[in-house]
């Protein structure tokens, strides 16, 4: 891990060196506020050919004058650098005019971790191509498949991941930090084309360099220098009424990784050291190619500590064959982004690979290191294969203590740690410096925080633990220490002091937030009608599902049942300590009940009482299987625009987890991204959970991703999503009009009254389905069934809406010559009166004026026999079609269907097995009865307004919408 620590640098255990595989260096702060000058490394000795660290305005940078051989732009002002000279930072490749040096406020990647007030881990998705994007660490363009965070706008090369710090958006409360106001979360560069600065109104984006900053919450954009003129408070911009405020979400620290908290499917993580199988990374920060042997240079493997050796993660450093030991060490420190005085470190040679592997397998740090002090790797002797950076022992350390609350006048305080220092003595020394001398020291505890790019791990230190020994033991781990208030419940909850079972990050079971709230909420699903999971709900005091193994039941003392959803085969568990919550999650997520795999989700605690009075947060459901790959992209986009805790993947537990999380929110709206079947799925779940919701009738908007999308057409959301800006979609949802729509219940009873006894023995049990759009019997359902079966056989081919319609056409042409005489196979009663059917091939009950991808099946002609159809009139229209040709004519607008009846209660008798489809979901229904009637209260839908939504892209609109600080949201 990190090699060492320098006195006065951030509390990487008394040093500014980031740990390898972890914290280093996004050049922009996290959610704590704007970037500001921080304590960089001391000047140290002058480097060969390198200027001493830059002016005080440039935190942590080591600029040197370089000769330019190609067109180059300034990373501060984004203007072209005229002439042949520029100033380049050796570590992060920040390029600047000489005149701009004194204005640089963006910290170097080597010290950026020390400026992050609230560490929050990133959630990286799979590698992909990101055109015209720049890496936030090395500032180079992303030409090969790269990584990006699914919650913020961080883009990285794979080999730069170990040097990106945990500065993702803070989307929930964390410990005892105060959240009276929310500050801007600035992220540098990768702004959209045409972005204009909110302060000077000049262009602040650039397609040539990483320049300009943008707030991850409200979207306001500015030059990095101009951002200092903006008020620090963020009002969440144009989407503030839709965003779930972070202050209203409580997810206790030290629990689960962010991918688990945000319900993000974790992609396979490549080696953090680079693309190669050996974990090698690029040669230095400039990503240069390896020097050839004839060039008079040599390439060395440099490991940054013990952990790097164990994981075989190293950086390649190219130096002259005549370089001295100090020059090689300085190059190694630059490659690992370590702003350390070389006098505090040394390079130690590693033995050959086979010996190193055997020696390091035991996990004892230093057992395989051969110290060669005063000996240059570039001397005449044979060059060793690899070297490791080691810290020299010290008699004392300088430790930085960061308060675990935000209302404090200083970012941190520094204390000197000696062999006599303990965690309790440090707390007593620091409290007066933080203005808490009047409070009892027993209310505070020292917490060790390990900042990794993908996770943030917290460990509570015992009061009498010697700190210097602790620092020297884990100095190479690059950890940070913070002061946090101790919970009134303390650690005496009957749990082990450290989670030793199942889980990559064992932690102390400490709740840092007072109050009787659980440390974790689990939603466990096994699918609908899974009796094994919910049978135990009949018990008077259920604690753990009876079908679960004994090791789960053993946790009954700290686990309780919060809610039971019997109809959906789901339970919600409250877990009283981190260690047990972590163990249960790892146990449940791969468990099967009655042959069906469980889905285990970690849910936060939503503090609905803290919601602003005018807030109506949006609950987003996305079906990534709809619309080809568009659903997957939308899922990522909405997580960035909104709070990721309010965005749910329907393939991971369905709509119930989101509805349960929002069950106590007094007012919220729903956005469903998917086809008509997905919309019906969510509306059905809303109907089942309505009595549990504080907002029993939330309005539902649609982003159509399916093939037909008839309900989306009726509500003006379009024929299908075709790549519109997700921000504009959210604006349209915010300004949409509420309308009512009927919902219908279909009772399917396969038992025919006049059937023989031997037939009734095999009859299917009755079942109920819900309908919003239409129900088809006959040829319409037969075509849908054939299409559904073809898609099930080869789902990879059905990613294009045009291809899907082509398959429908092909299936229809194959059935033109078939004759079914449906009118002889069914009987229809409307309002309990028999209706004679004409000669038809299909019978369709329609609730909305759109069928078959936008066709008007009822027609617009006036008819005195029937009322004008509306989707909220409590009536269904019954229409017949004579065959495939008739259906094609209807879809082409040449004809309409045969009007048969209109009513609110229908009874259909099927004399033989017949294809049936409801809202595009087809099956073959056995002989029996179908009863269609109204399903309780009408549902509230959102219809897109006719006028275009206001886009907060102009100064006037932005400032009219923003409060309290002048903001815009050009996203």
């Amino acid at each position: 891990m990190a090699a060492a620590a320098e006195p006065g640098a951030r509390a990487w255990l008394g040093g500014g060196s980031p740990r390898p595989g972890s914290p280093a260096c996004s050049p922009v702060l996290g959610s704590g506020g704007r970037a500001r000058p921080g304590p960089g490394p001391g000047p140290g000795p002058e480097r060969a050919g390198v200027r001493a660290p830059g002016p005080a305005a440039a935190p942590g940078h080591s600029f040197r004058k370089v000769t330019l051989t190609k067109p180059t732009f300034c990373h501060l002002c984004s203007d072209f650098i005229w002439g042949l000279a520029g100033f380049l930072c050796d570590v992060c490749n920040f390029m600047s005019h000489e005149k701009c040096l004194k204005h640089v406020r963006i910290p170097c990647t080597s010290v950026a971790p020390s400026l992050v007030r609230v560490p929050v881990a990133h959630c990286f998705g799979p590698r992909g191509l990101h055109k015209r994007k720049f890496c936030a660490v090395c500032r180079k363009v992303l030409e090969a498949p790269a990584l990006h965070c699914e919650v913020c706008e961080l883009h990285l090369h794979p080999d730069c991941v170990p040097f990106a710090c945990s500065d993702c958006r803070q989307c929930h409360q964390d410990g005892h930090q105060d959240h009276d106001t929310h500050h801007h979360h600035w992220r540098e560069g990768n702004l959209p084309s045409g972005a204009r600065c909110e302060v000077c109104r000049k262009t602040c984006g650039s397609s040539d360099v990483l320049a300009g900053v943008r707030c991850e919450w409200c979207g306001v954009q500015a030059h990095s220098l101009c951002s200092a003129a903006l008020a620090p408070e963020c009002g969440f911009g144009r989407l503030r009424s839709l965003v779930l405020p972070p202050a209203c979400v409580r997810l206790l620290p030290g629990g689960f990784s962010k991918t688990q908290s945000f319900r993000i499917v974790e992609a396979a993580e490549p080696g953090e050291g680079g693309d190669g199988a050996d974990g090698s990374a690029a040669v230095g920060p400039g990503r240069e190619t390896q020097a050839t042997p004839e060039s008079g240079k040599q390439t060395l493997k440099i490991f940054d500590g013990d952990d790097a050796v164990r994981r075989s993660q190293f950086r390649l450093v190219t130096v002259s064959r005549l370089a001295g030991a100090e020059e090689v060490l300085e190059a190694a420190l630059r490659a690992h982004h370590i702003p350390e005085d070389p006098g505090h470190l040394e390079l130690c040679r590693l033995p050959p690979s086979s010996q190193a592997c055997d020696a390091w397998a035991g996990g004892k740090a230093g057992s395989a290191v051969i110290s060669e002090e005063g000996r240059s790797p570039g001397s005449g002797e044979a060059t060793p294969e690899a070297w490791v950076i080691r810290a020299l022992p010290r008699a004392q350390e300088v430790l930085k203590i960061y308060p675990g609350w935000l209302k404090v006048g200083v970012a941190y305080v520094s204390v000197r740690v000696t062999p006599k220092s303990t965690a309790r003595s440090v707390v007593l020394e620091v409290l007066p410096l933080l203005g808490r001398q009047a409070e009892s020291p027993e209310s505070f505890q020292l917490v060790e925080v390990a900042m990794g790019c993908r996770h943030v791990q917290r460990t509570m230190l015992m009061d009498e633990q010697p700190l210097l020994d602790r620092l020297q033991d884990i100095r190479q781990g690059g950890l940070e220490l913070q002061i946090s208030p101790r919970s009134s419940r303390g650690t005496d909850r009957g749990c082990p002091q450290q989670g030793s079972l199942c889980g990559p990050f064992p932690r102390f079971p400490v709740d840092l937030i007072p109050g009787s709230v659980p440390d974790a909420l689990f939603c466990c699903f096994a699918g609908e009608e899974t009796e094994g999971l919910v049978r135990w709900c009949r018990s008077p005091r259920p604690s753990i599902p009876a079908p679960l193994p004994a090791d789960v039941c053993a946790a009954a003392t700290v686990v309780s049942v919060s809610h039971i959803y019997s109809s959906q085969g789901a339970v919600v568990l409250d877990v009283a300590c981190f260690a047990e919550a972590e163990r249960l999650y790892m146990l449940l997520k791969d468990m099967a009940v009655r042959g069906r795999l469980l889905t285990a989700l970690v849910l936060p605690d939503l503090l609905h009482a803290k919601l602003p009075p005018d807030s109506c947060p949006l609950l987003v459901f996305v079906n990534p299987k709809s619309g080809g790959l568009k659903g997957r992209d939308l899922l990522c986009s909405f997580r960035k625009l909104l709070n990721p805790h309010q965005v749910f993947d329907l393939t991971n537990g369905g709509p119930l987890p989101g509805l349960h999380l929002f069950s106590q929110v007094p007012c919220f709206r729903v956005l469903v991204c998917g086809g008509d079947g997905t919309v019906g799925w969510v509306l059905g779940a809303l109907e089942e959970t309505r009595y549990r919701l504080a907002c029993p009738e939330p309005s539902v908007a649609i982003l159509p991703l399916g093939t037909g999308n008839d309900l989306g057409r009726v509500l003006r959301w379009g024929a299908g999503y075709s790549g519109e800006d997700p921000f504009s979609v959210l604006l349209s949802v915010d300004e949409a009009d509420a309308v009512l729509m009927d919902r219908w219940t279909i009772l399917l009873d396969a038992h025919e009254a006049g059937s023989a006894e031997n037939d009734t023995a095999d009859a299917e049990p009755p079942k109920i389905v819900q309908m919003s759009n239409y129900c088809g019997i006959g040829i319409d359902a037969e075509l849908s069934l054939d299409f559904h079966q073809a898609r099930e056989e080869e789902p990879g081919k059905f990613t294009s809406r045009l291809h899907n319609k082509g398959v429908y056409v092909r299936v229809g042409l194959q059935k033109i010559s078939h004759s079914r005489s449906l009118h002889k196979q069914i009987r229809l009663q409307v309002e309990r009166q028999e209706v004679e059917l004409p000669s038809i091939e299909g019978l369709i009950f329609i609730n909305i004026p759109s069928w078959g991808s936008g066709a008007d099946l009822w027609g617009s002609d006036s008819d005195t026999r029937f009322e004008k159809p509306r989707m909220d009139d409590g009536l269904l229209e019954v229409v017949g079609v004579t065959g495939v040709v008739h259906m094609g004519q209807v879809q082409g607008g040449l004809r309409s269907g045969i009007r048969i009846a209109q009513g609110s209660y229908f009874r259909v008798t099927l004399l033989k097995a017949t294809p049936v489809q409801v809202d595009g979901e087809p099956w073959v229904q056995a002989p029996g009865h179908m009863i269609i009637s109204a399903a309780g209260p009408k549902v509230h839908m959102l219809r897109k307004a006719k006028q275009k939504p206001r886009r907060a892209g102009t100064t006037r609109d932005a400032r009219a919408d923003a409060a309290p600080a002048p903001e815009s949201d050009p996203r």
Side-chain angles (χ1 to χ4, degrees):
M1 305 190 83
E6 174 187 353
R10 189 179 190 184
W12 302 116
L13 311 181
S17 58
R19 74 180 180 91
S22 177
C25 22
S26 173
V28 183
L29 276 188
S31 54
R34 289 190 298 272
R36 58 189 180 280
E46 186 81 4
R47 297 180 184 176
V50 178
R51 182 179 297 181
H61 291 287
S62 295
F63 286 110
R64 64 184 173 93
K65 193 172 185 179
V66 295
T67 302
L68 305 179
T69 59
K70 59 182 179 180
T72 308
F73 296 83
C74 177
H75 290 196
L76 179 67
C77 65
S78 70
D79 290 340
F80 185 77
I81 299 179
W82 296 97
L84 300 177
F87 286 82
L88 176 70
C89 176
D90 276 328
V91 177
C92 68
N93 296 317
F94 192 102
M95 179 66 73
S96 173
H97 292 104
E98 185 175 10
K99 64 179 181 180
C100 292
L101 283 178
K102 60 183 178 180
H103 301 297
V104 175
R105 294 293 187 273
I106 298 296
C108 179
T109 56
S110 60
V111 300
S114 66
L115 302 179
V116 178
R117 290 289 302 276
V118 183
V120 181
H122 293 283
C123 300
F124 293 111
R127 297 190 189 188
L129 292 174
H130 305 280
K131 297 181 179 179
R132 307 305 302 173
K133 300 292 185 180
F134 295 87
C135 176
V137 171
C138 69
R139 314 183 71 89
K140 300 294 183 180
V141 67
L142 300 176
E143 298 175 346
L147 297 174
H148 75 285
C149 179
E150 300 213 0
V151 178
C152 69
E153 293 292 337
L154 183 75
H155 292 78
L156 298 171
H157 291 106
D159 54 289
C160 289
V161 170
F163 304 97
C165 59
S166 301
D167 65 341
C168 193
R169 285 195 301 164
Q170 185 185 3
C171 300
H172 50 255
Q173 285 191 18
D174 195 357
H176 255 276
Q177 281 124 16
D178 303 309
H179 289 265
D180 292 346
T181 60
H182 198 84
H183 288 182
H184 289 294
H185 183 112
W186 297 113
R187 177 71 66 199
E188 185 187 14
N190 295 319
L191 304 185
S193 59
R196 291 192 174 275
C197 176
E198 177 65 16
V199 177
C200 65
R201 305 310 302 168
K202 297 181 180 179
T203 302
C204 59
S206 174
S207 59
D208 301 302
V209 292
L210 192 72
V213 295
R214 172 173 53 188
C215 176
E216 296 275 17
W217 284 108
C218 67
V220 65
Q221 300 165 150
H223 295 99
S224 59
L225 189 60
C226 294
S227 64
L230 294 173
E233 293 80 14
C234 177
F236 298 103
R238 181 65 181 82
L239 301 177
R240 63 182 177 271
S241 62
L242 301 179
V243 173
L244 184 63
C248 301
V249 182
R250 180 160 55 189
L251 188 69
L252 303 186
F256 298 89
S257 70
K258 289 295 175 283
T259 53
Q260 295 165 343
S261 302
F262 296 145
R263 302 160 302 278
I264 295 176
V265 178
E266 298 187 55
E269 296 184 359
E272 291 185 353
D275 296 334
D278 59 355
S280 61
V283 183
R287 304 176 64 84
E288 300 90 348
T289 58
Q290 184 171 335
T292 59
E294 294 77 17
S295 64
K297 295 185 178 182
Q298 60 179 340
T299 300
L300 306 176
K301 289 183 181 180
I302 305 296
F303 292 91
D304 184 16
D306 302 344
D307 240 17
V309 176
R310 293 189 187 97
R311 297 194 304 263
S312 187
Q313 294 177 358
F314 55 86
R315 302 284 281 185
L316 299 178
V317 176
T318 301
V319 295
S320 170
R321 294 187 181 275
L322 301 178
E326 184 177 352
E327 185 177 349
V328 175
L329 179 58
E330 290 179 352
L333 296 183
R334 290 195 300 269
H336 283 284
H337 298 243
I338 299 175
E340 193 67 56
D341 185 349
H344 297 154
L345 308 168
E346 66 176 349
L347 276 178
C348 300
R349 188 178 65 180
L350 283 179
S353 299
S354 58
Q355 300 176 22
C357 293
D358 296 338
W360 286 86
K364 295 183 178 180
S367 60
V369 177
I370 302 176
S371 176
E372 305 236 346
E373 296 180 331
R375 207 154 138 203
S376 168
S379 62
E381 297 185 14
T383 302
E385 180 180 341
W387 294 77
V388 61
I389 305 175
R390 303 288 290 172
L392 296 174
R394 305 186 198 178
Q396 59 183 8
E397 298 276 2
V398 174
L399 186 65
K400 289 185 178 178
I401 307 296
Y402 289 72
W405 56 90
L406 295 181
K407 285 183 179 178
V408 64
V410 296
Y412 61 87
V413 294
S414 298
V415 296
R416 194 168 297 276
V417 177
T418 65
K420 296 182 179 180
S421 299
T422 63
R424 176 53 49 195
S425 67
V426 169
V427 171
L428 295 174
E429 181 181 355
V430 166
L431 285 180
L433 302 178
L434 296 176
R436 297 295 182 106
Q437 60 271 15
E439 301 185 31
S440 171
E442 299 299 325
S443 301
F444 298 87
Q445 191 79 13
L446 203 62
V447 177
E448 177 185 284
V449 180
M451 290 175 56
C453 189
R454 288 185 171 94
H455 71 275
V456 175
Q457 177 180 343
R458 292 171 171 84
T459 304
M460 184 168 289
L461 300 179
M462 298 297 99
D463 290 346
E464 302 304 322
Q465 183 168 2
L467 278 189
L468 187 60
D469 294 342
R470 174 72 173 173
L471 295 180
Q472 291 177 347
D473 288 342
I474 60 177
R475 192 178 178 195
Q476 298 181 9
L479 302 181
E480 166 195 3
L481 298 185
Q482 293 185 341
I483 288 247
S484 296
R486 176 186 288 170
S487 167
S488 58
R489 288 190 285 173
T491 60
D492 51 352
R493 285 194 246 162
C495 301
Q497 282 300 299
Q498 187 166 2
S500 57
L501 300 177
C502 294
F505 313 122
R507 296 169 181 81
F508 288 91
V510 178
D511 179 5
L512 298 183
I513 299 179
S516 57
V517 296
D519 289 345
L521 296 176
F522 287 106
C523 240
C524 303
F525 301 86
E528 295 182 4
E529 301 177 359
T530 303
E531 298 179 0
L533 185 63
V534 297
R535 180 186 303 171
W536 54 273
C537 69
R538 302 186 182 96
S539 172
R541 294 184 64 188
S543 57
I544 291 293
L548 299 185
D551 50 356
V552 179
C553 299
T557 57
V558 293
V559 180
S560 60
V561 176
S562 171
H563 293 79
I564 302 171
Y565 297 93
S566 300
S567 62
Q568 305 210 14
V571 295
V572 182
L573 306 178
D574 291 350
V575 188
C577 81
F578 289 141
E580 192 59 41
E582 195 168 51
R583 188 182 75 88
L584 277 181
Y585 177 80
M586 301 301 294
L587 188 65
L588 292 173
K589 70 184 187 72
D590 297 322
M591 183 179 297
V593 175
R594 307 296 183 186
R596 305 190 65 173
L597 286 175
L598 287 177
T599 299
L601 301 177
V602 181
L603 300 179
D605 186 22
L606 204 159
L607 308 177
H608 56 89
K610 287 193 173 185
L611 286 170
D614 59 344
S615 175
C616 187
L618 185 67
L619 176 58
V620 181
F621 294 113
V622 181
N623 188 350
K625 294 183 178 180
S626 300
L629 299 177
K630 294 185 177 66
R632 176 68 179 80
D633 296 337
L634 281 172
L635 199 62
C636 184
S637 297
F638 287 139
R639 284 178 179 141
K640 293 180 179 179
L641 291 170
L642 303 171
N643 191 323
H645 287 293
Q646 66 188 107
V647 181
F648 287 79
D649 181 350
L650 285 173
T651 61
N652 191 14
L656 184 58
L659 296 176
H660 173 78
L661 180 64
F662 275 62
S663 59
Q664 299 303 314
V665 177
C667 178
F668 68 94
R669 288 169 282 185
V670 178
L671 173 63
V672 183
C673 306
D676 288 340
T678 302
V679 177
W681 183 15
V682 174
L683 292 178
L686 265 174
E687 184 67 27
E688 293 183 5
T689 59
R690 183 187 303 273
Y691 68 97
R692 295 177 181 261
L693 301 179
C695 177
E697 297 178 347
S699 299
V700 181
I702 300 172
L703 182 56
L705 298 181
T707 302
N709 302 316
D710 290 289
L711 185 56
R713 297 170 191 263
V714 171
L715 297 176
R716 300 180 188 153
W717 296 107
Y721 178 71
S722 57
E724 293 86 359
D725 182 12
F727 179 75
S728 299
V729 172
L730 294 178
L731 288 183
S732 298
V733 172
D734 192 30
E735 299 181 355
D737 304 318
V739 296
L740 295 176
M741 184 182 71
D742 296 326
R743 285 272 290 170
W744 299 84
T745 297
I746 304 178
L747 173 63
L748 302 167
D749 187 359
H751 171 54
E752 188 178 354
S755 62
E757 292 184 2
N758 58 349
D759 293 333
T760 61
D762 298 330
E764 298 178 0
K767 64 179 181 179
I768 296 177
V769 297
Q770 302 289 331
M771 184 193 82
S772 300
N773 302 351
Y774 38 70
C775 171
I777 304 174
I779 181 61
D780 170 45
E782 189 174 340
L783 295 181
S784 296
L785 184 60
D786 288 351
F787 173 82
H788 176 74
Q789 292 173 346
R791 183 168 56 182
E792 288 294 317
E793 292 175 359
E794 298 179 293
K797 294 184 178 181
F798 290 78
T799 58
S800 166
R801 192 176 293 115
L802 182 61
H803 173 268
N804 295 352
K805 292 183 178 180
V807 174
Y808 262 116
V809 172
R810 186 180 73 245
V811 172
L813 293 176
Q814 294 173 352
K815 298 184 178 296
I816 287 182
S817 60
H818 295 189
S819 178
R820 295 158 192 81
S821 300
L822 182 68
H823 60 287
K824 299 179 181 180
Q825 302 172 6
I826 64 174
R827 299 287 183 267
L828 174 65
Q829 290 183 5
V830 180
E831 309 292 357
R832 304 187 185 278
Q833 295 184 0
E834 194 78 22
V835 174
E836 183 177 356
L837 295 176
S839 178
I840 56 175
E841 297 285 325
L843 187 68
I844 305 171
F845 300 83
I846 55 177
N847 184 47
I848 61 175
S850 178
W851 167 87
S853 300
D856 186 1
L857 190 59
W858 182 261
S860 58
D861 298 337
S862 59
D863 193 331
T864 57
R865 299 177 299 166
F866 307 107
E867 298 182 14
K868 185 177 180 181
R870 298 198 326 268
M871 64 180 184
D872 62 343
D873 57 3
L875 300 175
L876 278 181
E877 288 70 46
V878 186
V879 183
V881 292
T882 59
V884 175
V885 175
H886 187 186
M887 293 171 60
Q889 292 172 337
V890 171
Q891 290 185 334
L894 303 177
R895 292 179 60 184
S896 58
I898 302 174
R899 299 178 181 178
I900 296 177
Q902 190 179 49
S904 59
Y905 180 86
F906 305 88
R907 184 184 184 93
V908 180
T909 302
L910 303 179
L911 304 180
K912 60 180 295 187
T914 308
V916 175
Q917 66 96 0
V918 174
D919 291 345
E921 301 298 324
W923 71 91
V924 176
Q925 180 63 26
H929 299 294
M930 294 177 56
I931 298 177
I932 306 176
S933 60
K938 305 177 188 296
V939 294
H940 293 247
M941 305 298 293
L942 289 174
R943 182 171 58 192
K944 187 176 181 180
K946 289 185 177 181
Q947 68 274 15
K948 293 184 178 180
R950 289 177 297 163
R951 173 115 176 146
T954 64
T955 307
R956 181 178 303 173
D957 292 340
R959 292 180 179 175
D961 291 335
E967 305 169 357
S968 71
D969 203 330
R971 287 188 293 178

